[in-house]
Amino acid sequence: MARAEKELKKDEKEQRRRTVYDSVRMQFNKAADLMNLDENLRKILSQTQNEIVVHFPVKMDNGQIEMFTGYRVQHNNVLGPYKGGLRFHPNVDIDEVRALATWMTWKSAIADIPFGGAKGGIQIDPSKYSMGELERISRRFAFALGNNIGPEYDIPAPDVNTNAQIMAWILDTYLSMVPANERQRCIHVVTGKPIESGGSLGREKATGQGVVYCIEEWARDKNFDLSKATYIVQGFGNVGSWTSKLLKPKGAKLLAVHDVTGAIYNENGIDPDELAEYVKKNKGVKGYPKATPIDLEKFFEIEADIFIPAALENQITEETAPKLKVKLIAEGANGPTTPEGDIILYKRGIDLIPDILCNSGGVIVSYFEWLQNKRSEYWELEEVDCKLKKKIIPAYRRVRDTAREFNTDRRTAAYIVAIRRLEKVYQERGIFP
Ligand code: NAD
């Protein structure tokens, strides 16, 4: 029996114990089985390359010191420097960061950009800290990472609960650690920076923009009229809100939103721009006056054309996948679907644009930001959007065609596209010594 199949047959108790990283390895093994991946390469790619754990002290507003633990996991860099976001969230642990770092390797490979995969984060609930404390936490984290990050080595970016401001603090701290005459050559140590500090136009919305380009391409393939589409979104932060705001001019109607504060519904549609303003002020969708609150369970049963998960991992599971009444799932979030959820969606004929393709707009425009910094250039927004489209649409088609070639689901096809790229490089270079 193939490895991926054996893993799925484990009993329920084992399934509950399964970590996100186990799920990543299952996804990988399924693709590796199907493409008959060389055993030695399978061993290499199944493992992360470096795992950095740092413990560091930070002075709180009350004068007390608190200790924090930060992670940076570097999965693979054969295609280019390690690249991936930093997440501040109570669920962050070494296992989650390993999973997210591994996904970054596949994501860059599918998008055909010269980056490897990494991810990092701190296990905190940022809402419990003042701005001053968050700044000191971010800076001390960057200091503790030291030269484990670097503009040509490992390049962080924003992820859940981190943003352009946090990138600016990390950049400033990093620059303070390099010799004065090298500082101007190092601003590409992070991407997703504020524009004035060397950020790129279009980076903030890039992940949502990429999701929308993928949805448009799916609609073209299926002869589906997006102007009459209805959709629901889980998570209304950077990815969820930008995807919704960019779907609005296409005519698609947002029916419901679920975030950490609750779920809301309006059968006549919710205006994404107004909701985004409300969420900024109120830190969530709860209490939004132009929609009705609904139970979280009901959210998954809403009839709509498209579901865009844009929050956290493990949302589409054995329990929720059978309830979904949608035609397409466009994964804005990383890892929203469990392996069991995947099987149910596939059997039910629900289309899926997998995370490592669907949300790659963020890393693609991060690559553009990195390039602009290296060349001391500023690109127009139209140029950024156009270049993003030119990268993500061919990636979408590669995945679609590979799914047909192997008669498999699109997630597995996406892995095959990515693994093939890395396989070539390993075959060419061999293993040292
Ligand atoms: P964010 O912090 O801006 O927003 C996160 C959203 O998720 C918030 O609306 C929050 O309320 C919601 N959320 C958190 N916990 C939840 C829960 N238990 N149930 C329901 N909703 C919950 O983060 P983001 O940058 O938009 O990232 C969202 C997802 O997209 C993550 O999986 C992230 O890894 C992925 N992603 C982000 C980027 C990027 O450029 N920011 C790029 C690629 C992938």
Side-chain angles (χ1 to χ4, degrees):
M1 198 186 325
R3 197 170 314 183
E5 229 178 295
K6 267 191 224 151
E7 281 162 345
L8 263 172
K9 290 213 156 44
K10 286 179 179 167
D11 67 22
E12 242 179 68
K13 228 162 129 196
E14 276 184 74
Q15 275 180 28
R16 272 200 298 275
R17 270 203 310 269
R18 187 192 307 138
T19 65
V20 196
Y21 189 46
D22 291 335
S23 299
V24 174
R25 293 215 259 207
M26 286 174 71
Q27 294 168 348
F28 169 76
N29 280 327
K30 187 173 176 197
D33 287 347
L34 205 57
M35 66 191 285
N36 261 327
L37 183 68
D38 174 76
E39 255 326 290
N40 289 319
L41 193 49
R42 195 195 283 246
K43 281 183 208 159
I44 295 170
L45 295 176
S46 296
Q47 199 74 52
T48 60
Q49 288 177 343
N50 306 310
E51 300 184 348
I52 302 132
V53 183
V54 290
H55 305 285
F56 54 92
V58 179
K59 204 182 274 175
M60 297 290 105
D61 289 346
N62 64 7
Q64 295 296 311
I65 297 290
E66 216 177 286
M67 288 301 293
F68 293 87
T69 300
Y71 304 92
R72 186 72 181 168
V73 172
Q74 297 160 336
H75 173 256
N76 191 285
N77 67 346
V78 293
L79 296 179
Y82 299 112
K83 181 86 189 82
L86 293 176
R87 178 177 289 198
F88 289 1
H89 193 275
N91 290 355
V92 168
D93 60 17
I94 189 72
D95 180 86
E96 186 187 66
V97 181
R98 278 178 187 141
L100 291 162
T102 309
W103 279 320
M104 286 306 298
T105 301
W106 312 138
K107 211 178 284 187
S108 300
I110 294 165
D112 207 5
I113 52 175
F115 280 149
K119 203 80 175 196
I122 312 177
Q123 192 185 79
I124 51 166
D125 177 353
S127 67
K128 298 210 167 105
Y129 298 95
S130 70
M131 276 294 267
E133 287 170 336
L134 274 181
E135 175 175 355
R136 294 194 292 281
I137 293 167
S138 306
R139 285 181 180 279
R140 276 304 300 228
F141 182 34
F143 179 76
L145 287 174
N147 62 4
N148 288 300
I149 59 170
E152 306 291 334
Y153 179 62
D154 183 355
I155 305 125
D159 192 72
V160 174
N161 291 332
T162 57
N163 53 27
Q165 175 60 74
I166 290 176
M167 294 307 115
W169 291 328
I170 290 175
L171 167 67
D172 188 67
T173 309
Y174 183 84
L175 294 183
S176 311
M177 294 189 289
V178 297
N181 63 350
E182 282 179 25
R183 284 181 196 149
Q184 284 318 313
R185 288 195 287 114
C186 288
I187 62 163
H188 51 304
V189 64
V190 285
T191 57
K193 300 180 287 288
I195 305 294
E196 303 75 16
S197 291
S200 174
L201 292 174
R203 173 58 186 92
E204 198 199 320
K205 67 165 181 143
T207 307
Q209 184 69 73
V211 173
V212 172
Y213 286 149
C214 285
I215 292 175
E216 282 184 301
E217 192 61 13
W218 171 85
R220 232 186 315 274
D221 269 353
K222 300 277 165 181
N223 232 342
F224 176 85
D225 183 1
L226 257 190
S227 72
K228 296 197 175 71
T230 54
Y231 66 104
I232 58 175
V233 177
Q234 186 193 42
F236 212 72
N238 174 292
V239 180
S241 69
W242 272 111
T243 303
S244 308
K245 287 196 277 189
L246 294 165
L247 277 175
K248 181 175 153 182
K250 314 280 168 210
K253 188 158 79 175
L254 173 60
L255 294 182
V257 182
H258 167 205
D259 77 357
V260 74
T261 63
I264 56 167
Y265 174 74
N266 185 339
E267 62 178 344
N268 299 315
I270 296 168
D271 184 284
D273 292 294
E274 275 184 29
L275 182 64
E277 281 304 309
Y278 179 88
V279 167
K280 230 181 245 169
K281 282 195 204 111
N282 299 279
K283 311 264 178 254
V285 300
K286 192 176 171 195
Y288 181 64
K290 295 188 181 171
T292 318
I294 50 164
D295 287 346
L296 297 187
E297 276 161 30
K298 286 264 174 330
F299 174 83
F300 287 95
E301 293 168 9
I302 292 169
E303 200 165 338
D305 296 309
I306 305 167
F307 173 31
I308 301 157
L312 299 176
E313 300 91 30
N314 297 340
Q315 301 302 310
I316 304 170
T317 61
E318 231 168 355
E319 283 90 53
T320 54
K323 294 182 187 162
L324 288 169
K325 298 193 187 87
V326 296
K327 297 185 177 77
L328 170 71
I329 292 168
E331 293 185 332
N334 284 308
T337 311
T338 63
E340 288 75 20
D342 263 335
I343 292 172
I344 295 167
L345 296 180
Y346 192 61
K347 280 191 185 147
R348 293 188 58 208
I350 296 177
D351 277 346
L352 181 129
I353 309 174
D355 48 7
I356 49 177
L357 164 66
C358 195
N359 69 35
S360 62
V363 74
I364 293 172
V365 177
S366 273
Y367 168 55
F368 298 156
E369 179 176 332
W370 187 75
L371 277 183
Q372 289 170 73
N373 293 162
K374 275 165 78 90
R375 299 174 181 170
S376 298
E377 287 179 3
Y378 288 108
W379 299 354
E380 300 290 333
L381 179 61
E382 293 70 30
E383 188 178 352
V384 172
D385 283 348
C386 173
K387 285 189 156 120
L388 166 59
K389 199 170 186 177
K390 276 194 183 155
K391 279 274 175 210
I392 206 164
I393 300 289
Y396 178 96
R397 292 179 183 162
R398 278 194 288 278
V399 170
R400 178 199 60 197
D401 297 346
T402 307
R404 283 187 194 139
E405 181 190 338
F406 283 85
N407 190 23
T408 189
D409 59 279
R410 288 192 182 195
R411 187 181 318 284
T412 308
Y415 270 76
I416 293 174
V417 170
I419 297 167
R420 271 178 171 170
R421 260 202 91 198
L422 279 103
E423 186 183 30
K424 255 210 168 98
V425 178
Y426 275 102
Q427 280 165 354
E428 286 161 4
R429 294 189 196 170
I431 304 294
F432 173 82

